Amino acid sequence: MSEDSTRTTWFVTGASRGFGRELTEQLLARGHRVAATLRRPEQLDDLAARYQDQLWVRALDVTDTAQLRHVMAAAFADLGRVDVVVSNAGLGVFGAAEDLTDEQVETMIATNLTASIQLARAAVPHLRDQGGGRLLQLSSMGGHIAFPAFSMYHATKWGIEGFYESLAVEVEPFGIRTTLVEPGMIRSTFYEAATRVPVSAPYRGTPADRSPIPVEQMPGDQAKVVAAMIEAGLSPEPPRRLLLGSDAYRLVRDALAARLAEVEAQEERAAATDVDPG
């Protein structure tokens, strides 16, 4: 797949703001077609007026699996082909695990994990029928590491990482390649939109009682992150994981090195639990 020789078609969830809006804008500016989905389609009226037939817009609540499958099928039917499916829709709820409501826990899992799984499941048959394509899943450096007060966010990102680790091997025989996009802390609207739950009395002064880093102090550039995503989506050999941001590289590398050291220290103990020979 080459950007220079072919106009590609991308399916994007969560296109109203943040990475989704930036991705839609950059793709359209480069001449590609975009099937943009979001809860309120009128939020893209300005782009629709400017790019007209280049932009296909539909309402979508990704937690509605029946609607998701219908919109996915309509995009392939109307556009003839979708080269890259981008699972971007997601949300953040930050606070000590005990302090979150049941509804917040269930909503995080439904939006960030279950909907991402169902999106991939809905896309794969269409991608296979057309001979291949790309799946880009927005994950995070938080799919490898964890911070206090982010437990449910990490649960969804570690979960989608495991799903894609298996899915990648299942679908590659059909010409479908997958990429987990793992940004660090990026200056985007994600943090402004996230819900922050005040810590309860027992957690005051503990690691869960932390002030958020101001967005202006975050190292990542949203436009550069999205440009790297486009490059990966167009690459003939896309990476299975795409770390973006100097903080993501440093923190994930250090976490994996520490985890590997812990594993290696347990080699003898692990072997001692095998069945005795004979």
Side-chain angles (χ1 to χ4, degrees):
M1 196 182 305
S2 169
E3 183 179 16
D4 295 333
S5 60
T6 306
R7 180 178 76 160
T8 58
T9 300
W10 296 54
F11 183 101
V12 180
T13 65
S16 61
R17 59 182 172 82
F19 288 159
R21 171 79 185 210
E22 180 75 31
L23 179 59
T24 299
E25 291 182 355
Q26 286 198 29
L27 287 168
L28 293 171
R30 296 181 186 210
H32 299 284
R33 292 191 305 177
V34 180
T37 66
L38 61 169
R39 288 175 180 262
R40 295 168 49 203
E42 67 274 12
Q43 291 178 290
L44 295 184
D45 282 353
D46 59 322
L47 296 181
R50 181 177 178 183
Y51 291 100
Q52 301 181 16
D53 292 344
Q54 207 179 323
L55 178 63
W56 184 96
V57 181
R58 291 294 184 277
L60 176 61
D61 174 356
V62 294
T63 65
D64 183 336
T65 302
Q67 184 189 35
L68 188 156
R69 289 175 178 156
H70 174 76
V71 171
M72 180 70 68
F76 278 87
D78 291 352
L79 301 174
R81 179 181 180 86
V82 175
D83 300 286
V84 186
V85 174
V86 183
S87 177
N88 166 74
L91 55 85
V93 178
F94 304 138
E98 183 183 354
D99 291 339
L100 305 182
T101 67
D102 291 344
E103 182 181 5
Q104 287 171 331
V105 169
E106 292 163 4
T107 299
M108 281 283 284
I109 293 172
T111 305
N112 290 9
L113 181 57
T114 305
S116 294
I117 291 170
Q118 295 291 24
L119 180 71
R121 282 166 33 84
V124 163
H126 298 287
L127 295 172
R128 182 178 61 243
D129 287 347
Q130 72 182 16
R134 304 280 186 270
L135 283 167
L136 265 63
Q137 170 64 53
L138 260 294
S139 181
S140 166
M141 69 176 181
H144 292 281
I145 60 178
F147 300 104
F150 287 70
S151 59
M152 284 312 305
Y153 181 78
H154 291 304
T156 62
K157 294 307 181 183
W158 284 59
I160 201 61
E161 293 262 343
F163 174 77
Y164 263 83
E165 186 78 8
S166 178
L167 179 72
V169 180
E170 294 176 1
V171 301
E172 281 185 1
F174 309 124
I176 302 170
R177 304 293 296 272
T178 71
T179 297
L180 284 157
V181 181
E182 300 170 332
M185 302 193 76
I186 310 300
R187 298 181 189 183
S188 75
T189 58
F190 174 80
Y191 298 97
E192 297 172 5
T195 299
R196 290 179 170 81
V197 179
V199 296
S200 57
Y203 290 98
R204 290 173 190 159
T206 72
D209 187 7
R210 50 187 307 201
S211 300
I213 297 174
V215 172
E216 61 271 15
Q217 293 182 15
M218 295 178 182
D221 183 294
Q222 177 175 274
K224 291 180 179 179
V225 166
V226 167
M229 289 170 57
I230 294 173
E231 181 182 353
L234 297 172
S235 171
E237 294 295 332
R240 284 209 188 157
R241 285 184 166 83
L242 183 66
L243 277 173
L244 298 171
S246 58
D247 58 335
Y249 174 80
R250 174 176 50 82
L251 292 171
V252 170
R253 179 200 60 193
D254 291 350
L256 293 178
R259 201 168 300 143
L260 179 60
E262 291 178 357
V263 169
E264 291 176 338
Q266 298 184 56
E267 181 180 11
E268 185 175 340
R269 181 186 302 158
T273 61
D274 290 350
V275 174
D276 291 335

